[in-house]
Amino acid sequence: IQVEGLTKRYSDRAVAVDDISFQVEKGQIVGFLGPNGAGKTTTMRMLTCFMPPTSGAASVAGFDCVLQPLEVKQRIGYLPETPPLYPDMSVTEYLAFVGGLKGMPKAQLDSRITEVMKRCAISDVAGKLISKLSKGYRQRVGLAQAILHNPDVLVLDEPTAGLDPKQIIETRDLIKALAGDHTIILSTHILPEVEATCERVIIITKGKLVATDTVANLTNRLRGVEAVLVEVDAGETGADQGQMQRKLEQVSGVSRVVYRDTRDGRCRFEVESLKGRSVRAELARAVVESRWNLHELHTAGLSLEEVFLQLTASGKPIPTEAVQ
């Protein structure tokens, strides 16, 4: 997916999407995030040729969304937030109907329907009317129609809406299994789902792009420094929490040490480095030399929720060198 300067203005001059540019590499899963009204659905509608942009350009699988919309549509599987289902059809009838609309050869259609029903765990309701299905099953039927023609690109808008926890896990696993063969852009409000599924995130707010990067890179750039979580106990030395904190503060490159808590005799500290310094090796050395027991030492990044709230609250993009 290649997007350059994409803009959408409506007749009242309201700007829904304002000059955004990004790309999604083949086989990647990318989370598309933003608060309500940020322009996510409008962007997805332009990428799927449902509406034209006011200016800018977008291409999918090498085809222009304005000049070659039929070519784009043949290569896209789209699951909108409300799946486009016909309640008076059975699941099998509906998928056969969709396959016909997508121009799939009849010789391949029956076997492909069987395959996607199995992948989406709807084989047990194949003969049921869609009107009789629960919301969770309807969502999975919607996902089945999106992947039925084995598209190059999948555009999924809230794909786990209405699913129970078991179904959410199954759908996440299915989406991850589709990566590599398919490029996937996924819009959702469930941020842990993005962390569990997506390789990169794109964040927009008020129609403007504020970030596109991996979660780890966004965390580091927003923080500006490395933060490390250290969990130790005093072992046979008898050192108390204050003594341990003072020792960690003396490590070269450390700017601040914050005591978190004590669990089962283990003290947990969050250690921040000076800008541009990595202090993990020095911290481990200091703990060993002090004859304490080291139970845990890892980078303590911001959560995706914290990253999202910071970026959407400020509305300001992160520095240009952070945008990949």
Side-chain angles (χ1 to χ4, degrees), residues 258-277:
V258 178
Y259 169 68
R260 285 277 192 87
D261 54 37
T262 299
R263 300 177 184 175
D264 301 323
R266 303 173 184 177
C267 294
R268 300 171 77 241
F269 302 92
E270 185 171 316
V271 181
E272 289 188 3
S273 67
L274 297 171
K275 192 169 184 178
R277 293 288 299 273

Side-chain angles (χ1 to χ4, degrees), residues 89-106 109-110 112-114 116-117 126 130 141 144-145 148:
M89 287 183 174
S90 71
V91 172
T92 303
E93 289 171 340
Y94 170 71
L95 292 177
F97 172 69
V98 170
L101 289 179
K102 294 181 177 183
M104 296 180 66
K106 289 185 178 180
L109 187 53
D110 288 345
R112 184 61 184 166
I113 288 173
T114 301
V116 298
M117 285 198 299
I130 291 173
V141 173
Q145 67 79 26
L148 182 63

Side-chain angles (χ1 to χ4, degrees), residues 75 108 130 143 160 166 193 294:
R75 290 160 177 82
Q108 300 175 8
I130 291 173
L143 185 57
T160 59
K166 183 174 182 292
E193 183 172 299
L294 178 61

